[in-house]
Structure formats: C-alpha cells, structure tokens
Amino acid sequence: MSLHAEIPTALTTATTVTCGELGLVIGPRAERLHMLELSAVLAQQDAVRVLDGGNSYNALYVARYIRRHTVQLAATLNRITVARAFTCYQMVTLLQETAVSPAPTLVLDMLATFGDESIDLGESVRLLRLALIQLHRLCRLAPVVVSLQPLRQPERAVLTELMMNAATHHFVRETPETAVAQPSLFSWR
C-alpha cells in the first residue's frame, strides 16, 4: 500500500496505479478536476470507463483538456464511456453489471451515494462491502481509481475507512483549514 501526501498529476496517477490495483483519490470535491483530467489522459491511449457517483462528469471540460493535448478529439472522446448512479443501490448494481475488461475504470465521487442519511448506516456499510467486492473484481485486468470526498457526517466515517483499507494506493489532499475572522468595520491605526 502506498500513501501519497499530495494529489499527483493525472499522468502520474495513470502510471502509478497498475493492473490489479485499486487507487483511491481523496480530497475536497472528490478531486473532480483531477479525475476528469485522468479520464482524458487515459482515453488518449485506449478505452476508459467512468462510473459517476456524484453526477460530476463534465464532458465539456474533458473535451477542452483533450483538445489542448491532441488533435484527435473525436477519436479520444469516443474511447470514454460514462455511466451514472444516483443512489447507493444503483452504484452497487452498476458495478455488478460492469464487465471485467482491460479498460481502466474510474469511479467518481463513490461515497456521494452512500452518504444518503435516509439509508441506514448498517445498510450503507453492507452495500459498500458489496461494491468493494465488485471493485476488486474489476481491477483483475485493469487498474481502478476511485475518488471520494470525506463524508460530512462523523458517524459515516466508517465508510471512508472501508474504502481506505481496500485500496492499494492512496492519494490524499487535505482540506485546508479556513480561519473565519470578522473584518473590522473601521481600520484605526
């Protein structure tokens, strides 16, 4: 297991996580731009699958990124397949129905669907364990990279821990502490 203190470039992530490995990218907003750029980098080489759990895949951003790196825009975009899940039940089903293939799989904002407070925590844990089995199945022939942002509900921290324990590579960007200070109305010197 490797732990990286900072999120590397998309190209570095693409070369670090290899076949049979599960990479985990943790950070604010689930490191959406990093994952979008990673999908573009991988698509320049071959097919890539994107499973979107946070409804955050921005094809326009990806197209602009690709355009800056190659003139083969249409061919590169055609190598990306996107599927979305809006609930944790749909995410598990999506993972179960995804065939094992040599195409890398990116899962965007995986825990967004598992953070739903209307789903009992025990049920979320059960479903996440099923999802982890499927992620390990998918990484038999190709790398799998999952992004997530830590859940805001402290009682659901166990879900992040389960993901971290399952991954072989961790790329973590700490959320910067923001000090909130009331500015003074008048500045007396």
Side-chain angles (χ1 to χ4, degrees):
M1 174 172 33
S2 66
L3 176 65
H4 300 272
E6 276 298 315
I7 305 294
T9 65
L11 185 58
T12 304
T13 304
T15 57
T16 302
V17 182
T18 60
C19 182
E21 296 181 330
L22 177 63
L24 183 61
V25 177
I26 303 173
R29 291 194 248 162
E31 293 301 319
R32 288 185 182 123
L33 293 181
H34 178 78
M35 294 298 284
L36 294 173
E37 291 169 6
L38 181 57
S39 72
V41 166
L42 292 170
Q44 289 176 45
Q45 301 162 8
D46 207 350
V48 61
R49 297 182 293 199
V50 177
L51 309 179
D52 188 359
N55 196 23
S56 60
Y57 194 77
N58 183 340
L60 179 60
Y61 180 87
V62 172
R64 288 179 177 159
Y65 185 88
I66 291 170
R67 174 64 77 199
R68 286 190 302 253
H69 294 88
T70 182
V71 295
Q72 306 280 333
L73 179 64
T76 304
L77 285 173
N78 286 332
R79 291 188 204 111
I80 302 171
T81 57
V82 180
R84 288 188 168 89
F86 296 97
T87 68
C88 51
Y89 295 101
Q90 289 176 348
M91 179 57 81
V92 171
T93 301
L94 183 60
L95 289 167
Q96 289 171 338
E97 293 176 353
T98 302
V100 175
S101 83
T105 302
L106 305 179
V107 184
L108 306 182
D109 208 358
M110 171 109 176
L111 292 184
T113 59
F114 290 87
D116 185 352
E117 292 177 353
S118 67
I119 307 293
D120 179 62
L121 178 59
E123 179 69 354
S124 289
V125 169
R126 182 186 76 78
L127 291 169
L128 183 58
R129 286 191 172 127
L130 291 174
L132 289 171
I133 291 168
Q134 297 305 316
L135 288 171
H136 284 291
R137 177 184 62 83
L138 291 173
C139 73
R140 274 190 250 156
L141 293 180
V144 175
V145 179
V146 177
S147 74
L148 61 93
Q149 61 183 329
L151 296 171
R152 295 175 196 244
Q153 308 98 322
E155 67 276 3
R156 293 193 179 256
V158 66
L159 300 174
T160 303
E161 290 174 27
L162 285 170
M163 289 296 305
M164 290 190 75
N165 291 336
T168 52
H169 296 279
H170 301 93
F171 305 98
V172 181
R173 177 168 305 167
E174 297 296 326
T175 305
E177 295 293 324
T178 54
V180 178
Q182 177 68 34
S184 63
L185 183 59
F186 300 102
S187 185
W188 304 104
R189 296 203 191 244

